[in-house]
Amino acid sequence: MMYSYQAISPEGAVIKGKGQFNDIQALMDSLTSQDLILLRYRQQHFFIADELEKMFLPKIVRLDIVDFCESLSSMIGSGLPLLESIESIKDTIRNKRLKKALENVIADIAGGESLSQAFAREGEVFPEMLIFFCNIGEETGTIQEALKNTAEHIKKLDDIISQTKRALIYPAFVISAMSAVMVFWLFFVLPRLVETFNEMDVVLPEMTRNLVSFVEVCKQQWYLLPVIVAFLAAAVYLLRKNERTHVMLARLYFRIPIAGDLLRYSNLTLFFSNMSLMLRSGVTLTKCFEVLGTTFKNPAIKKIVARLKQSTSSGDSLFTAFSQAQFFDAITLRMVSVGESTGTLDERFTFLADTYQERTTKFVDVMGKMIEPIVMALSGGLFVFIVISLIGPVYDLISQLGGG
């Protein structure tokens, strides 16, 4: 049940809060563990209002979690108790959604739950990787190192996603702008010019007449466009609902020129970054693949991870499993072979993660330079198209007026 309450601290400060508790006794026990005395409370019955409030809370970005993990790791390393550390960080948090989640975490820990369990109850806020490594840190007594490693991992993940988005924003913007120009020219400029040309008996080129016919058909049968879009959307949805076709589509993404290579490099960076981090933390190989299976959203990568787990569980070497996956390149297979034979898999995976992240960064830079001539070529082609279909009739009109 949801309770809102007011409590007083030993210093006399009145503290307001809200949280989920089984009953009023659980609320009082939680406050007592924090050296707080309950003044008044009220049970919340408006669950719809609470859900609406959650909807309008600001989104939590990855760097918010990074800052939290780094601050908590630093405070625990300084010898501060866990509960006191989280309370101190909560007072400095500006994001209301994260602050609200930390209030619930504090209440859960005060009620006897572990840090990983408290994070798991707020799974919409705290990533699964953080929960997993906190659980390992609690079992091995290395919670500070677990928080630090998680912060580094999320920061690397944010860098990869930012680089990928940065590479795709510019071409998406250019394509959208050019499409808008074409639509404006075809449906607003061209019809008015054609009317003028017809009034003056100017003979239009065949290309211009074809364009006019195309525009007229589009105007008369405009209702077909939303029908086609809806049909395509439904087809894609049905294909994605089917596991086999969803995996096939995901594999096709990796074959797209340029963008497919970028997608492959970024996914391999995350793959080996996760693997190296888990192996350094003492996680078994089988458990690594289990966690990776829940980390990746791409069905093709999930399928590869499942095959790797099945192959290694049946007794195959890691090198054999990677070779049979038919997804990894020669440098990866060589590093896996060396790491497996020398017992330094975590170091080799770290090297591969750094290598693929460097490739991703370089690819983003090169992609930006490659797009410029492509955009210039498309712009030039559009200009030539406009000249042939529009400027030609204008020139004929001027010639006729001059001759007259």
Side-chain angles (χ1 to χ4, degrees):
M1 293 178 286
M2 179 67 71
Y3 288 91
S4 60
Y5 59 86
Q6 290 184 357
I8 187 169
S9 67
E11 294 79 16
V14 177
I15 299 173
K16 296 180 180 180
K18 183 190 296 184
Q20 291 277 358
F21 301 94
N22 293 331
D23 50 34
I24 186 59
Q25 186 61 46
L27 170 61
M28 295 180 66
D29 292 342
S30 175
L31 295 177
T32 301
S33 65
Q34 302 175 59
D35 293 329
L36 299 176
I37 299 175
L38 181 64
L39 295 178
R40 61 178 60 89
Y41 71 92
R42 185 176 64 181
Q43 184 176 347
Q44 301 285 332
H45 297 285
F46 301 103
F47 301 107
I48 296 178
D50 292 337
E51 292 300 321
L52 289 174
E53 182 184 0
K54 289 181 180 179
M55 289 175 59
F56 290 102
L57 287 175
K59 183 180 179 181
I60 298 176
V61 298
R62 296 181 189 87
L63 294 182
D64 290 335
I65 303 297
V66 170
D67 292 339
F68 168 73
C69 290
E70 289 178 343
S71 299
L72 185 58
S73 175
S74 177
M75 287 186 172
I76 293 175
S78 301
L80 290 175
L82 176 62
L83 203 56
E84 183 180 342
S85 299
I86 299 177
E87 288 175 344
S88 299
I89 296 173
K90 177 183 72 71
D91 295 335
T92 64
I93 295 293
R94 294 185 178 180
N95 188 294
K96 292 183 179 180
R97 184 184 293 270
L98 181 57
K99 192 168 188 175
K100 189 179 183 67
L102 288 178
E103 290 174 355
N104 295 334
V105 167
I106 291 171
D108 292 336
I109 294 175
E113 293 189 0
S114 65
L115 180 63
S116 60
Q117 290 173 335
F119 283 158
R121 289 172 67 96
E122 299 294 326
E124 295 180 356
V125 174
F126 300 104
E128 188 171 348
M129 190 62 68
L130 172 60
I131 299 169
F132 174 74
F133 280 110
C134 281
N135 188 19
I136 294 175
E138 289 165 347
E139 293 177 358
T140 59
T142 57
I143 188 67
Q144 178 193 358
E145 189 69 20
L147 290 166
K148 183 179 178 182
N149 289 338
T150 304
E152 293 176 355
H153 171 74
I154 297 176
K155 189 182 297 184
K156 182 176 290 187
L157 172 65
D158 187 73
D159 289 341
I160 295 169
I161 294 176
S162 298
Q163 290 170 359
T164 306
K165 287 182 177 179
R166 190 166 65 249
L168 298 177
I169 284 175
Y170 180 64
F173 172 78
V174 171
I175 292 172
S176 300
M178 293 181 66
S179 300
V181 169
M182 284 295 298
V183 170
F184 178 77
W185 179 77
L186 285 174
F187 291 91
F188 295 95
V189 177
L190 183 62
R192 288 168 175 77
L193 289 174
V194 169
E195 291 178 3
T196 303
F197 293 150
N198 290 334
E199 291 175 358
M200 296 186 175
D201 295 329
V202 176
V203 178
L204 298 175
E206 184 178 356
M207 180 182 295
T208 307
R209 293 198 299 271
N210 292 335
L211 280 176
V212 172
S213 301
F214 171 75
V215 171
E216 289 300 324
V217 170
C218 290
K219 286 183 176 181
Q220 294 174 4
Q221 301 182 1
W222 61 268
Y223 54 87
L224 292 177
L225 180 61
V227 172
I228 294 172
V229 171
F231 175 78
L232 293 176
V236 171
Y237 175 79
L238 292 175
L239 288 174
R240 289 174 64 88
K241 290 292 290 184
N242 183 279
E243 184 178 356
R244 173 177 287 184
T245 55
H246 194 189
V247 172
M248 289 177 61
L249 287 174
R251 287 175 177 170
L252 286 175
Y253 296 154
F254 291 109
R255 299 182 181 274
I256 299 175
I258 302 177
D261 291 335
L262 180 61
L263 183 64
R264 177 186 294 269
Y265 293 155
S266 59
N267 275 279
L268 286 174
T269 303
L270 294 179
F271 180 91
F272 290 114
S273 177
N274 287 333
M275 288 289 290
S276 63
L277 180 57
M278 286 187 282
L279 289 175
R280 286 202 311 269
S281 302
V283 182
T284 63
L285 203 56
T286 302
K287 187 64 177 178
C288 287
F289 291 135
E290 289 180 3
V291 175
L292 284 177
T294 60
T295 301
F296 283 96
K297 304 301 181 183
N298 189 304
I301 302 295
K302 292 173 74 74
K303 194 80 171 178
I304 291 170
V305 171
R307 287 181 179 177
L308 292 174
K309 179 186 174 184
Q310 181 180 5
S311 183
T312 53
S313 299
S314 62
D316 292 335
S317 66
L318 195 60
F319 173 77
T320 302
F322 272 69
S323 301
Q324 293 174 349
Q326 297 181 349
F327 181 76
F328 304 97
D329 56 17
I331 186 174
T332 299
L333 298 178
R334 187 161 57 250
M335 288 296 105
V336 170
S337 177
V338 172
E340 194 171 24
S341 60
T342 60
T344 57
L345 273 175
D346 57 336
E347 297 178 7
R348 301 304 159 189
F349 284 164
T350 301
F351 170 79
L352 287 171
D354 294 338
T355 299
Y356 283 114
Q357 185 168 21
E358 184 178 354
R359 286 189 184 182
T360 303
T361 303
K362 289 182 178 179
F363 200 83
V364 170
D365 296 336
V366 172
M367 191 173 178
K369 296 177 181 178
M370 290 173 57
I371 287 173
E372 292 179 4
I374 295 174
V375 170
M376 292 180 63
L378 290 175
S379 301
L382 179 61
F383 177 74
V384 171
F385 177 76
I386 292 176
V387 167
I388 294 175
S389 58
L390 178 62
I391 305 301
V394 172
Y395 179 77
D396 292 340
L397 176 61
I398 294 174
S399 300
Q400 291 180 15
L401 293 175

